[in-house]
Amino acid sequence: MSERAATFGEVFAVREFRVLFGSFALLISGDSVKMLALSVLVYAETGSPGLSAAAYMVGWLPYLAGGMFLLSLADRLPPRGLMIAGELVRAGTCLVLAYTGLPVPAMLALVLVTGLFSPVFGAARNALLPDVLPGDAFVLGRSLMGVTSAAAQVAGLAVGGAFLAAVGPRGALAVTAGLSLVAALVLRCGLPRRAARSAGAGRRGAVGETVRVNGRLLADRRVRGLLLASWLPTMCVAGAEAMVVPYLGGQGQAGLVLAMAAVGMAAGEFAVGRFAAPALRERLSLPLAVLLGLPWLAFAAGPGLAWAAVLAGTAAAGLAYQLGLQRRFVDAVPEEVRGQAFGLLSAGLMSGQAAGAALVGVLGEVAGPGTAIALAGGVGVVVTLALAGVLRPQRPAPVRAEALPSHGG
């Protein structure tokens, strides 16, 4: 018998999920305001567009190092304490950036160093979700988190722009610190204390344990396939999106296209998470992953603003393919290292998107933005088809006749 799909009402009836959901919305909104305000502050201090762009992206860079060397902490420390520590670190960082008058290199260094632990804090949250929402409710919870991420990014950028106009970049950073403190309070009051998932490995330090467990996870063929299926198609679409601004000539029109991509992502996550039964959701992973790259091929024909927005929104809806992999990933990883496994998944997604943007950016310099976008989409389709064996759900093994009970019992 197929498993019944969960409903939004059932998910939101769980108090711990409401706490995780609310604190996550504050986190994404606050990070959007923080990176926008930091970028504006650096530009005001230096007048350098390059440094301003670097300031906007610097928050994502530590995911690779943190994911490689620190993720074991997500399983070796209590999850509530880790998430609260993450909010306090973010609040302290914003206050230092806002009020200490640090030179620009010191600002960027501070964001890099404190960001090394971001994968650990996020891994603690993601690993807690299957405990709070068992069964299919977990996948619907992940769907809601995805919709929230897209909506909070758009809202954070809009609110950040309003804060910048009203109080300037330093005031906006102070507001971000306030959001983080509110999130810490919500977590402290709303979540019960849970023990650490794993006691660690004796005297082995966090770095050694992280390297060991990462190797163990990547050596597992099933886990490795699911990780690659999550990383590689997304890497290609990130490269395509990175070329939207130069494709439109650096005009503000690119914001409409990127906003439509966020809307498409949210719509896809909502529709597949809410209306597709668990078995159908897994069967949709392959066609949705193909959809992720296919519309970008049309950029070879040079579409205008309206069509570019439609194509970007349609492609981003394909990101819902990852919902069909979520349950399989939870089942594939050992429970005692679930936090590190989710952290590795997130670190690879963040690092892969940065790498995809860089690679397609180089291609755009040589072949032009439209051609680079089309090639990124084409590579995404090819990579998806190469991973078809992973993206298709596993069929149950047939039961042999001699294994069946006789009529006589």
Side-chain angles (χ1 to χ4, degrees):
M1 183 181 295
S2 61
E3 184 180 354
R4 183 182 67 86
T7 66
F8 282 125
E10 292 169 346
V11 169
F12 275 110
V14 179
R15 182 173 184 270
E16 287 183 72
F17 175 74
R18 295 198 300 271
V19 173
L20 291 173
F21 181 86
S23 62
F24 180 72
L26 289 170
L27 165 68
I28 298 298
S29 301
D31 265 355
S32 298
V33 175
K34 181 186 78 173
M35 301 317 299
L36 180 61
L38 180 61
S39 178
V40 172
L41 180 60
V42 168
Y43 186 74
E45 294 284 334
T46 66
S48 168
L51 281 175
S52 177
Y56 189 78
M57 294 300 295
V58 74
W60 306 113
L61 295 179
Y63 270 81
L64 181 58
M68 289 176 62
F69 300 118
L70 297 173
L71 280 176
S72 65
L73 295 173
D75 293 308
R76 299 170 75 176
L77 297 173
R80 185 184 69 174
L82 268 178
M83 288 185 282
I84 292 172
E87 298 298 344
L88 296 178
V89 167
R90 188 174 295 105
T93 300
C94 289
L95 291 174
V96 170
L97 291 171
Y99 296 119
T100 59
L102 288 176
V104 168
M107 288 183 189
L108 300 182
L110 176 65
V111 174
L112 277 171
V113 171
T114 55
L116 288 173
F117 294 92
S118 295
V120 179
F121 305 141
R125 183 188 307 273
N126 290 330
L128 185 58
L129 199 57
D131 295 331
V132 172
L133 298 175
D136 187 63
F138 160 70
V139 181
L140 186 54
R142 291 284 289 184
S143 169
L144 287 168
M145 292 292 199
V147 174
T148 302
S149 178
Q153 286 180 52
V154 174
L157 290 172
V159 172
F163 283 147
L164 286 169
V167 297
R170 296 185 189 277
L173 286 168
V175 169
T176 303
L179 291 176
S180 294
L181 292 174
V182 171
L185 184 63
V186 168
L187 290 167
R188 176 63 182 82
C189 297
L191 290 182
R193 189 185 187 281
R194 291 174 181 260
R197 196 174 302 278
S198 169
R203 293 188 298 173
R204 186 184 287 116
V207 173
E209 181 69 1
T210 300
V211 172
R212 184 189 72 82
V213 175
N214 279 349
R216 174 187 170 189
L217 291 169
L218 292 171
D220 186 306
R221 182 178 179 182
R222 185 182 175 196
V223 174
R224 183 175 64 248
L226 290 168
L227 287 171
L228 291 175
S230 298
W231 292 343
L232 296 182
T234 309
M235 176 180 174
C236 296
V237 74
E241 287 186 357
M243 280 288 100
V244 167
V245 172
Y247 175 80
L248 292 172
Q251 303 299 315
Q253 296 170 329
L256 174 62
V257 176
L258 295 175
M260 280 298 296
V263 170
M265 182 184 80
E269 293 261 2
F270 176 84
V272 174
R274 175 62 184 88
F275 298 111
L280 175 60
R281 197 183 297 138
E282 294 190 4
R283 291 198 298 272
L284 286 173
S285 284
L286 179 58
L288 285 173
V290 171
L291 176 65
L292 191 62
L294 202 59
W296 298 108
L297 294 171
F299 277 76
L305 174 63
W307 276 112
V310 171
L311 291 168
T314 303
L319 283 166
Y321 87 93
Q322 296 204 10
L323 292 178
L325 306 180
Q326 296 293 328
R327 280 285 299 279
R328 293 167 58 194
F329 187 73
V330 171
D331 292 341
V333 300
E335 198 275 338
E336 70 273 10
V337 294
R338 185 193 293 162
Q340 180 160 342
F342 272 106
L344 182 61
L345 174 63
S346 297
L349 281 171
M350 304 299 290
S351 303
Q353 289 178 69
L359 290 172
V360 177
V362 172
L363 183 60
E365 292 285 343
V366 177
T371 301
I373 291 174
L375 286 173
V379 171
V381 172
V382 171
V383 165
T384 296
L385 294 177
L387 291 166
V390 179
L391 289 164
R392 289 194 186 100
Q394 302 273 329
R395 292 184 179 179
V399 180
R400 294 178 301 174
E402 59 268 26
L404 294 173
S406 67
H407 289 292

